[in-house]
Amino acid sequence: MSLSFQYPRLTKDNYDSWSIRVKAILGSQGAWEIVSDGFVEPDEDAALILIQKFEKDKKKDQHALSIIHQCLDDAVFEKVANASTSKEAWGILENSHKGVDKVKKVRLQILRGEFEALHQEASESISDYFTRVLSIVNQMKRNGESIEDVRVIEKILRSLHQKFDHVVVAIEENRDLENLSIDELNGSLRVHEERMNKHKKEPLEQVLLVKHSSAERGSAISRGRGRGQGRGYSHGGSRGHDRNQEVKRVDDEKPRGNP
């Protein structure tokens, strides 16, 4: 059974993630080196071994170029339609989407501002916040920023919601941030988050249990009153019936006068 492979498509907004995925695909085919370094065409007097190597590299290059073509839609393909090598096509795409150094610097400044402005929302989970932080960090790295893990860790600890203040103090006092990994911090904070959610959930369950018990007691009292009222009406009705019978007997026993 053969499975069809879906190549990632380049759009105007996804070049960074697209390039990472396509590099991995080209690498798995042993073709990324030819894309990044290119190859040199031998002169007429080159030895046979060099000519054979060139032919092999040329074939690998065309294979890489065909993979790049499959990752483009018709509009983007027009930009590289005249490129004869994979290196040339890759350079065109990189320059048109990622921009020259000046554009990269401007984009990096924007990302730095977004990084510094990061703060966890009150309803945002630790997992979601880490995803948001690391997304910006990865974009900064792809645009040339050298950012160490300890800087990311310090930023996360500074920007957590105030409900984690006691946890942050404990981590800063008891852990060496220089030797703490981002994954370890993530795991530690998620454990504390689960405990906090559990403590928050238990009082709510107790309140619901008390309300349920009160409702059951109220229902039982109402049923008891209903049964008592039923018995009272029954006895009253029986006594009224007996009195009517007694009056009737007295009337029957009275002497009747002459007509």
Side-chain angles (χ1 to χ4, degrees), residues 8 30 65 124 136 138 188 213:
L65 185 59
E124 189 173 25
I136 293 179
N138 289 335
S188 179
S213 299

Side-chain angles (χ1 to χ4, degrees), residues 82-102:
N82 295 323
S84 59
T85 67
S86 60
K87 180 179 175 65
E88 182 184 2
W90 190 268
I92 292 172
L93 294 171
E94 186 173 28
N95 290 331
S96 63
H97 284 81
K98 203 166 185 178
V100 294
D101 289 342
K102 184 177 181 180

Side-chain angles (χ1 to χ4, degrees), residues 63-65 117 133 143 148 165 175 177 208 213 252:
H63 176 57
L65 185 59
V133 172
N143 282 275
E148 297 180 350
D165 284 351
R175 302 294 296 271
L177 300 186
L208 293 175
S213 299
D252 290 342

